[in-house]
Amino acid sequence: MKKSRISDYKGPDQEKHKPLDRTPTKRLIEAAQDADDPLDEICVRVPLSTGLRVGELVHLRPRYVGRNYSDEFEEVTWYVEIPPFIDCIGGTGETGKGNADGADLHNSKGKPCYSCRNRAVENKDWLTEKQKQQPGFSPKNFTSIEQYQWFFPGRHELGKKLKSILDAHGQFPIQPTSVNHRIRKVAQRAGLDDVRSITDSGKINITAHALRHTYGCKLGAHRDFNINSIMTFMRHATPSMAIWYSDQWGERRRAKIAEFEDEFS
């Protein structure tokens, strides 16, 4: 008898990180595609189409997005490469006593962001000692840099739009707080207040990490993705979360959801 898979991961605790179902996801995508600002669309659809973490997205540079042959899809498609380490220049520097020179933090860039100034380097053996001392970006684990993150076939225009924004600015132009602000703005236009609560500050309870989880659930719903495949695409070092993604959908729902793949990301 086949043993049941049991995951020690029980899913995100906070609503703002929980994945969306198919129908609100479709509405969110449609609202993103209708946005006047292409950056709004990128903030929504790239996490939904690649599972990128928001920290990875905001530290992208033009050279990390391109086209190449994908063994997974057996065709040329767009990819995102996660750098093992990169100097962070997207922040404005420290506030309060840390801003001893009184720099204009509202209109200046070029300094490490808060996350990179306070990043953990334990167990990141791929970093050199010098890199460990520098306030730069490095991914969560080595699994994140072992392979490209491919855009699914049919998402070529999204890869082009991301590359165009990076070329225009030399890097991704905004930081995580602004990414989440744009996602919430699109979610408001999509009317997702019927499936998400509203925070005390009047914002819809959703973040980029919820979209990453939604991407993971999409993989789990697809009949062609087993646990190992989900781990590869989500860049997890252990199977617990991949099992959780897979178990979100019963077998009777998998085939139905797979029919809507073109509308799902």
Side-chain angles (χ1 to χ4, degrees):
M1 180 180 295
K2 185 177 179 181
K3 293 183 179 180
S4 298
R5 301 164 305 179
I6 299 177
S7 172
D8 56 9
Y9 178 69
K10 304 304 180 184
D13 294 327
Q14 295 178 288
E15 182 189 10
K16 64 181 180 180
H17 294 152
K18 291 183 177 181
L20 293 169
D21 290 335
R22 183 183 63 82
T23 298
T25 300
K26 180 181 177 182
R27 287 158 49 193
L28 184 66
I29 292 166
E30 290 173 346
Q33 291 173 321
D34 291 340
D36 294 330
D37 189 338
L39 193 54
D40 287 353
E41 181 182 5
I42 290 298
C43 289
V44 169
R45 294 189 65 205
V46 169
L48 277 174
S49 295
T50 64
L52 280 184
R53 299 177 176 94
V54 66
E56 296 165 345
L57 174 63
V58 302
H59 288 93
L60 286 179
R61 308 276 175 83
R63 64 181 179 274
Y64 295 116
V65 177
R67 289 184 297 174
N68 208 336
Y69 184 81
S70 166
D71 292 329
E72 287 90 348
F73 303 124
E74 298 182 341
E75 65 175 85
V76 174
T77 187
W78 285 84
Y79 67 85
V80 175
E81 180 183 3
I82 307 301
F85 176 83
I86 190 170
D87 292 330
C88 177
I89 55 174
T92 57
E94 297 185 61
T95 60
K97 293 181 179 179
N99 183 23
D101 297 329
D104 179 2
L105 301 181
H106 294 286
N107 299 296
S108 62
K109 289 282 187 179
K111 294 184 179 181
C113 67
Y114 175 84
S115 295
C116 287
R117 293 198 309 269
N118 296 278
R119 70 190 174 104
V121 296
E122 293 80 7
N123 302 318
K124 294 187 177 183
D125 298 335
W126 66 89
L127 296 176
T128 67
E129 288 304 316
K130 181 178 180 181
Q131 289 171 341
K132 289 180 179 180
Q133 301 302 317
Q134 291 177 290
F137 168 79
S138 56
K140 184 175 180 179
N141 53 48
F142 188 74
T143 306
S144 297
I145 59 180
E146 289 184 304
Q147 71 162 30
Y148 292 159
Q149 282 301 102
W150 298 101
F151 285 93
F152 278 93
R155 305 289 176 267
H156 298 301
E157 90 290 349
L158 190 58
K160 291 179 183 178
K161 289 179 181 179
L162 175 59
K163 184 68 160 61
S164 176
I165 287 175
L166 295 174
D167 285 340
H169 297 275
Q171 62 183 33
F172 201 75
I174 60 177
Q175 287 296 298
T177 299
S178 296
V179 171
N180 287 327
H181 172 76
R182 287 173 179 266
I183 291 171
R184 290 170 178 137
K185 182 172 63 175
V186 175
Q188 189 72 46
R189 292 200 298 266
L192 295 195
D193 53 347
D194 62 348
V195 295
R196 293 278 174 155
S197 65
I198 304 298
T199 67
D200 292 339
S201 58
K203 300 174 183 177
I204 290 183
N205 229 345
I206 190 171
T207 62
H209 206 66
L211 305 187
R212 171 175 162 81
H213 281 315
T214 303
Y215 173 78
C217 288
K218 170 192 171 181
L219 299 181
H222 202 293
R223 66 183 70 186
D224 292 333
F225 284 85
N226 58 28
I227 299 302
N228 288 334
S229 299
I230 297 172
M231 285 180 63
T232 297
F233 275 75
M234 295 301 292
R235 294 164 291 121
H236 288 143
T238 61
S240 294
M241 292 189 71
I243 293 172
W244 182 80
Y245 288 134
S246 183
D247 288 348
Q248 296 312 291
W249 309 93
E251 289 293 336
R252 66 183 178 82
R253 301 179 68 185
R254 291 176 185 270
K256 185 65 177 177
I257 294 173
E259 293 175 7
F260 292 90
E261 179 180 356
D262 288 342
E263 299 176 345
F264 199 63
S265 66

